[in-house]
Amino acid sequence: MERIEHHASFDGWQDVYQHDSETLDCAMKFGIYLPPQAANRKLPVLYWLSGLTCTEQNFITKAAAQRYAAEHGIIVVAPDTSPRGEKVADNEAYDLGQGAGFYVDATEAPWSDHYRMYTYVVQELPALIESSFPASQRRGISGHSMGGHGALMIALRNPGRYQSVSAFSPIAAPTQVPWGQKALAAYLGADQNAWKQYDTVELIRTAKEQLPLLVDQGLSDEFLDSQLRPELLRSTCADAGHPLTLNLRAGHDHSYYFISTYIGGHIAHHAVTLNR
Amino acid sequence: MERIEHHASFDGWQDVYQHDSETLDCAMKFGIYLPPQAANRKLPVLYWLSGLTCTEQNFITKAAAQRYAAEHGIIVVAPDTSPRGEKVADNEAYDLGQGAGFYVDATEAPWSDHYRMYTYVVQELPALIESSFPASQRRGISGHSMGGHGALMIALRNPGRYQSVSAFSPIAAPTQVPWGQKALAAYLGADQNAWKQYDTVELIRTAKEQLPLLVDQGLSDEFLDSQLRPELLRSTCADAGHPLTLNLRAGHDHSYYFISTYIGGHIAHHAVTLNR
């Protein structure tokens, strides 16, 4: 593992590391914000999963999360959104292949050689973080759009592994919208039963743990009705009795201006549980 | 003038406009943050001048200033750093030509046709802002690196026009360092007497107004000793009795991680005077 960026930020450090991922069989980068409290003790970790086309850079440069992470004493880890490199399968489209891993373990060629972002995010990355940094085993997870889908889905599938979860503008029901249907068909094949394990709305129906969901959604989001469909999340949570706070934000779009406006509230939400 | 971006941010709006600049004889873009108070009354304006290679995008996406601008009720305007376009002279180097206007009015060919960023920032842009938006005539100015030079130099040359000024990592003495010498020789010619009107350290010696300067400088800045030289600013202000607050920040580099950490303090500094 090699540190490739190192920037002072709010009395802590915003770093970027590169390492060879065994799960993904390629070199991977991740951003890690180490708040000032990390100099003295182990801290909980918030994992942030980014959206389509993003790398590890988008969140760390645009979300303005460092101030809040420093206030609450939380490490924030932001991985890349897919395996990368010349030997890794890709597609011309922005919503498939590199930059669009969808946080699943692919089973179909040519994707199955490298596209195992689910296992990378759930297993390999936390093991690396917890053995290499002053990180406790208390974990939160959040993300945006494709990464909001990833965060909710991963928390729901791993009861007890994450103490808190939230999402911005998540693809709440990927099996029912074009972005998700395209990616899941490519990565998992035509059998739609295999898709359901990666669909938040499906997972809520059978959730064994009532981990409260915090979701923010902009009402001027250009993908609201076509790809995100928060009403499916709301009705499913209501039917299942699953705790959901869904904040619908007038005027807000799908950009990082939306995330930076409300990331402070999300980090405070995670801190309540992670620092307990 | 055309609005080309419109994003909700901290109960206000982060917009980007494009207009045809008469001064620069080309199309220009600027970012403008309109805080929520702008819906009800005229507000003071903080002008932000960016550094080498930047466009109007860098500050608005990376500095995390919107929260503080909303708290204090200040409009923030961030112009591009040079004239732009195919008909505008350019140079292969990152530190000359497009992206490197240095906030001067060029007198030498081929630059003098378009490179009049001094007049654009001091006259044309404020006139446009104050006639098109709910902006009062109370003005602050700040910036980073080349833009820190621009902010200090412009405030010192225009007594009474700006009520507050600050800078991050400014090129404090451009006539004495390589970046400045290269740009000033190209834009203004070989006569170094013509350069002095654009040099903060020179201007402080004859300043007619004691406008207090707030400057933040990272001590791990890779350009500290070669290009920025805050010690010249300190000694000149001491000799001239010019009020200077120079914050030297351990560990901080030349990046926007430095700016985002301290921009809140700078906006508070401007607000004390601008909201008086």
Side-chain angles (χ1 to χ4, degrees):
Chain A
M1 190 168 68
E2 182 190 4
R3 192 174 74 189
I4 57 177
E5 289 189 40
H6 185 55
H7 308 281
S9 174
F10 287 95
D11 296 323
W13 296 96
Q14 179 60 62
D15 293 345
V16 177
Y17 283 81
Q18 180 166 307
H19 73 114
D20 292 322
S21 166
E22 191 175 342
T23 306
L24 304 176
D25 191 21
C26 69
M28 287 293 285
K29 295 176 185 171
F30 62 86
I32 180 167
Y33 179 69
L34 295 160
Q37 300 88 336
N40 302 315
R41 56 186 167 90
K42 288 193 173 186
L43 301 177
V45 181
L46 175 61
Y47 292 87
W48 173 270
L49 306 182
S50 292
L52 287 168
T53 78
C54 289
T55 69
E56 84 290 346
Q57 289 291 319
N58 300 65
F59 182 78
I60 66 176
T61 59
K62 294 185 172 181
Q66 291 90 355
R67 171 179 171 166
Y68 311 104
E71 284 176 3
H72 294 286
I74 290 176
I75 293 169
V76 183
V77 172
D80 201 348
T81 56
S82 77
R84 299 277 181 182
E86 290 185 11
K87 68 178 182 179
V88 174
D90 199 7
N91 187 282
E92 289 178 1
Y94 75 96
D95 55 359
L96 190 66
Q98 295 189 31
F102 262 86
Y103 306 103
V104 306
D105 285 352
T107 55
E108 300 300 297
W111 311 107
S112 53
D113 284 348
H114 298 280
Y115 284 74
R116 289 186 290 271
M117 286 298 289
Y118 177 82
T119 296
Y120 176 72
V121 168
V122 175
Q123 299 294 342
E124 184 180 359
L125 185 60
L128 180 67
I129 298 297
E130 290 160 20
S131 64
S132 307
F133 298 95
S136 76
Q137 295 190 336
R138 292 189 74 77
R139 308 178 193 96
I141 192 163
S142 186
H144 176 235
S145 194
M146 175 182 76
H149 137 73
L152 297 175
M153 173 271 289
I154 283 173
L156 288 164
R157 282 186 59 169
N158 294 277
R161 190 161 173 80
Y162 299 88
Q163 282 72 56
S164 58
V165 62
S166 76
F168 289 82
S169 331
I171 306 172
T175 63
Q176 299 186 52
V177 301
W179 274 342
Q181 290 166 341
K182 177 179 179 178
L184 296 173
Y187 296 142
L188 304 175
D191 178 6
Q192 299 196 11
N193 281 316
W195 303 3
K196 293 182 181 175
Q197 63 185 314
Y198 295 111
D199 185 293
T200 292
V201 161
E202 292 287 342
L203 291 166
I204 284 168
R205 294 188 178 128
T206 56
K208 293 172 186 159
E209 187 193 47
Q210 298 281 296
L211 191 64
L213 313 182
L214 169 63
V215 174
D216 273 64
Q217 173 63 57
L219 289 177
S220 295
D221 189 318
E222 53 271 43
F223 304 110
L224 181 63
D225 296 329
S226 58
Q227 307 281 9
L228 306 175
R229 306 198 57 186
E231 77 282 3
L232 295 175
L233 188 62
R234 170 168 275 168
S235 62
T236 306
C237 284
D239 291 347
H242 198 108
L244 167 70
T245 301
L246 176 59
N247 297 316
L248 301 174
R249 304 295 192 180
H252 277 279
D253 59 21
H254 203 65
S255 73
Y256 266 87
Y257 295 109
F258 172 51
I259 298 170
S260 64
T261 300
Y262 296 107
I263 191 71
H266 278 238
I267 290 180
H269 163 80
H270 288 273
V272 166
T273 310
L274 295 180
N275 286 330
R276 193 172 285 161
Chain B
M1 190 168 68
E2 182 190 4
R3 191 174 74 189
I4 57 177
E5 290 188 41
H6 185 53
H7 308 282
S9 173
F10 286 96
D11 296 324
W13 295 96
Q14 179 61 61
D15 293 345
V16 177
Y17 283 81
Q18 180 167 309
H19 73 114
D20 293 322
S21 166
E22 190 175 341
T23 306
L24 304 176
D25 191 21
C26 68
M28 288 292 285
K29 295 176 185 172
F30 61 86
I32 181 167
Y33 179 69
L34 296 160
Q37 300 89 336
N40 303 315
R41 57 187 167 90
K42 288 193 174 187
L43 301 177
V45 181
L46 174 63
Y47 292 87
W48 173 269
L49 306 182
S50 291
L52 288 167
T53 77
C54 289
T55 70
E56 84 290 345
Q57 288 291 320
N58 300 65
F59 182 77
I60 66 175
T61 59
K62 295 184 173 182
Q66 291 89 355
R67 171 178 171 166
Y68 311 105
E71 284 176 3
H72 294 286
I74 290 176
I75 293 170
V76 183
V77 173
D80 202 349
T81 56
S82 77
R84 298 279 181 181
E86 289 186 10
K87 68 179 183 179
V88 173
D90 199 6
N91 188 282
E92 289 177 1
Y94 75 97
D95 55 358
L96 190 66
Q98 295 188 32
F102 262 87
Y103 306 104
V104 307
D105 285 354
T107 55
E108 302 299 298
W111 311 107
S112 53
D113 284 349
H114 298 280
Y115 284 74
R116 289 186 289 270
M117 286 297 290
Y118 178 82
T119 296
Y120 177 72
V121 169
V122 175
Q123 300 293 343
E124 184 179 358
L125 185 60
L128 180 67
I129 298 296
E130 290 160 20
S131 64
S132 307
F133 298 95
S136 76
Q137 294 189 336
R138 293 190 72 77
R139 307 177 194 97
I141 191 163
S142 185
H144 175 235
S145 194
M146 176 181 75
H149 138 73
L152 298 175
M153 174 270 289
I154 283 172
L156 288 164
R157 283 185 59 169
N158 294 276
R161 190 161 172 80
Y162 299 88
Q163 282 72 55
S164 58
V165 62
S166 75
F168 288 82
S169 331
I171 306 172
T175 64
Q176 300 186 51
V177 301
W179 273 343
Q181 290 166 341
K182 177 179 178 177
L184 296 173
Y187 297 142
L188 304 176
D191 178 6
Q192 299 197 11
N193 281 318
W195 303 4
K196 293 182 181 175
Q197 62 185 314
Y198 294 112
D199 185 294
T200 292
V201 160
E202 292 287 342
L203 292 166
I204 284 169
R205 295 189 178 127
T206 56
K208 293 172 184 159
E209 187 192 46
Q210 298 281 295
L211 191 63
L213 313 183
L214 169 64
V215 174
D216 273 65
Q217 173 62 58
L219 290 177
S220 295
D221 189 319
E222 52 271 43
F223 303 111
L224 181 63
D225 296 328
S226 58
Q227 307 280 8
L228 306 176
R229 305 197 58 184
E231 77 282 4
L232 295 175
L233 188 63
R234 170 169 274 168
S235 62
T236 306
C237 284
D239 291 348
H242 198 107
L244 167 70
T245 301
L246 176 59
N247 297 316
L248 301 175
R249 304 295 192 180
H252 277 278
D253 59 22
H254 202 66
S255 73
Y256 266 87
Y257 294 109
F258 172 50
I259 297 169
S260 64
T261 300
Y262 296 108
I263 192 70
H266 278 237
I267 290 179
H269 163 81
H270 288 273
V272 166
T273 310
L274 294 180
N275 285 330
R276 194 173 285 162

